[in-house]
Amino acid sequence: MIWLEEIEQVNGGAAVWGKVAVVGGGPAGLFLARLIRRARPAARVDVYERNAPHEANGFGVVFSARTMSRLRRSDPETHARIVRASVTVSDMELRHPRATLRYGGFDFSSISRQTLLTILQEQAASAGAVLHFGHHAAPGSLDDADVVVYADGANSAQRDARPERFGTTVRHGASPYMWLGTDAPFDAATFAFVATGHGHFAAHAYPYAEGLTTVVVETDPATWQASGMDRPLDHARNPGGSDEAALAQLSELFADHLGGHKLLGNRSRWATFRIVRNARWSDGNAVLLGDAAHTAHFTVGSGTKLAMEDAIALAAALDRDADPRAAFAAYERERRALVTRTQEWAEPSMRWWETFGRRLHMAPAQFGLHFMTRTSALTYEGLRRRFADRVDEAEEAYRTAGGAAARPGAAPGPAHGVAAPLLLGSVRLPNRLVQVVPEECDDPAAAVRAAGARGTGLVLLRGTRTVPRPDVAVGSVVRPERVGGGSAGETAAGSAPLFAEVACPAADAWSPAGDELTATVRALVARGCEGVLLTTDPTPSTDLGPRTDAAPGPAAGTRTDPGTGPVGRWHALLGHAERVRTETGAVVAVPVPDGWALDLPGSTGGDAWPARIHLALVTGRIDLVVSAAPTVTRPAVPAAG
């Protein structure tokens, strides 16, 4: 290979890079090549792409408004070309089997992947980068360059040839999905759900050009197998082609949403999502870019966005520093926190889509709000600012489902979710607030009376004690081993609700530890337990942290906490609570911070505890909250109905 210049030594031996080899001619690799050439015209930049110039997989890609702003600042000319070839979408439409809901305020740009690649190919070439198409670069074959950029995707052959260099880990999501297209007209990002005799399917559809729409279809493994779509593709008769049988079957399943149009394939086959993480993004003169370094599930629309932003950061770091290794470290420092946050949001989104069929029984408005809050990225304030009417509908559906009488002629309002009633077996609770009386309490009857006077809906006596003629609903909470026998069994046989106290594991709700927790609760329900009190450690505590430990992010109403600390523990607890509640049928109570105020959600501003608790209740992630006596800055929780 002939390079334009040799390695030079300046500044006491710091390397001046001049030869750059980029493996992978996707959006990130091409944009990086252009940015490097614009900043360092003397540098030699070669891009090696195994496909032909007009051989793109997929259909459309999306960019957020923030990403488009970054593109404009880094390269106004390329930004202008992308804008001219894009369509702008501002609404989301959720098509529940029983209703269609519209959500506004989500501006993003969408463009054909092939069009984007053509623009970036031309822009890179015009800046002086040398593009090599139809060139398969064998792992290690380009290591003599000063800078070697691995931008060859989630399945990076360069990275996987020596994964120990980067500390690579790859795991797969559970749900099969297929990337498709259609010429059916859509004017919003649309999420359609259909029920079949085998289970449920979902489609994500967003327009990317006049009359053209990307459609991603996914389902759970059991439905995929029961529908017969798990059959192996006949590669001998259809090498490199689409799964035509699945295309025809899916076109029929989504016929009502396609309006007589068909789904289109482009080497479209069933796959499961690859979650890629790397402990190190560089090693020696090699650096990872885009999906080769990290992936975030497509349901948060971040793949190409993150890759292009990576390219901007890496080009800027290389321009600032003569030593490539120092530039790689600066690039990783700048990007890793943002990428990690996106991956943390993407994980629950992926899990939501893997289990969406379990929630379709919910009222459409509640289902929609559950969908919008699947990543915890939006605060209650942000939700109300974007689509207050949809939030009102979800809150009214929640109150009605709990048995609260509708308010004729009254506009829906943001009454706290704790105030809604709940039918617990044969006991009707006036609200969702629970207090626990410890075993060491000398006068449980007095404690019960005091809790009732404070407006508590349910008092749980730790152990199996009883209180004569209580004026508030009273139940028992016991350790799991005491459920199903002796006095605990007698308590469960009466009208008093029986709860088991179970500690949540520190692991993710969908980990083996989460599987074990769900199995434990399922067994408890079979032994007569009506509910569970989930705690975050073996010695229950309501100390989840201060009331307002996470302020809104740069855009008001957007959460930016990194998923650790009190808020991180809260969302981890909600993950376990929702899974247990959905899969076992148990009523789920969780601890909330001592001293949280019964303010209306949003009245304190930001992402405060009242709003977090309210959303968890309204979206059906929990049923009851356990707290010490709250600080009441508004009237006490009313006995609804």
Side-chain angles (χ1 to χ4, degrees), residues 113 192 259 534 543 570:
R113 179 174 175 82
L534 294 181
D543 181 19
W570 169 251

Side-chain angles (χ1 to χ4, degrees), residues 243-476:
D243 187 338
E244 298 296 340
L247 272 172
Q249 194 171 347
L250 292 172
S251 292
E252 184 176 348
L253 287 178
F254 287 95
D256 290 344
H257 301 281
L258 296 172
H261 296 258
K262 300 295 183 183
L263 291 171
L264 310 172
N266 179 359
R267 288 178 280 184
S268 303
R269 305 176 187 177
W270 291 109
T272 53
F273 190 77
R274 288 169 58 91
I275 304 160
V276 175
R277 288 185 170 88
N278 286 277
R280 298 168 296 281
W281 290 5
S282 64
D283 179 75
N285 65 338
V287 63
L288 303 175
L289 188 72
D291 282 354
H294 49 73
T295 60
H297 197 250
F298 56 82
T299 56
V300 295
S302 294
T304 306
K305 159 194 159 64
L306 289 176
M308 296 283 280
E309 291 175 353
D310 279 359
I312 294 171
L314 180 55
L318 286 168
D319 185 41
R320 290 191 303 265
D321 207 306
D323 181 359
R325 289 163 179 78
F328 297 163
Y331 151 68
E332 184 171 348
R333 282 195 303 272
E334 177 183 344
R335 293 294 297 158
R336 183 175 282 278
L338 294 169
V339 167
T340 298
R341 186 182 69 188
T342 302
Q343 289 182 313
E344 287 174 346
W345 283 347
E347 184 80 15
S349 181
M350 180 181 73
R351 296 302 188 191
W352 192 97
W353 283 101
E354 289 176 349
T355 58
F356 70 87
R358 300 173 185 173
R359 303 180 192 90
L360 285 172
H361 67 280
M362 298 173 71
Q366 281 183 279
F367 180 86
L369 191 61
H370 196 295
F371 166 69
M372 289 296 173
T373 57
R374 71 195 185 280
T375 67
S376 76
L378 287 175
T379 64
Y380 184 83
E381 175 187 345
L383 293 164
R384 278 210 157 272
R385 187 182 67 249
R386 291 172 185 256
F387 34 80
D389 53 344
R390 298 281 86 89
V391 177
D392 286 340
E393 291 168 359
E395 290 171 337
E396 194 65 23
Y398 165 73
R399 288 191 293 267
T400 302
R407 298 169 293 166
H416 200 286
V418 169
L422 175 68
L423 187 62
L424 179 55
S426 60
V427 179
R428 185 178 186 273
L429 305 182
N431 58 61
R432 308 298 182 99
L433 186 62
V434 179
Q435 284 186 245
V436 178
V437 177
E439 284 189 284
E440 58 268 24
C441 177
D442 293 331
D443 192 348
V448 169
R449 287 194 299 272
R454 288 192 292 264
T456 302
L458 174 67
V459 179
L460 294 176
L461 299 173
R462 197 177 296 282
T464 58
R465 293 172 297 172
T466 61
V467 175
R469 298 185 300 279
D471 55 1
V472 63
V474 176
S476 297

Side-chain angles (χ1 to χ4, degrees), residues 506-568:
D508 177 76
W510 298 94
S511 66
D515 297 340
E516 184 178 350
L517 172 65
T518 303
T520 296
V521 175
R522 187 178 292 111
L524 291 169
V525 170
R527 286 153 52 192
C529 200
E530 291 182 72
V532 290
L533 167 55
L534 294 181
T535 59
T536 53
D537 55 55
T539 54
S541 169
T542 56
D543 181 19
L544 290 177
R547 203 178 127 196
T548 54
D549 61 306
T558 302
R559 282 188 65 251
T560 59
D561 57 86
T564 59
V567 177

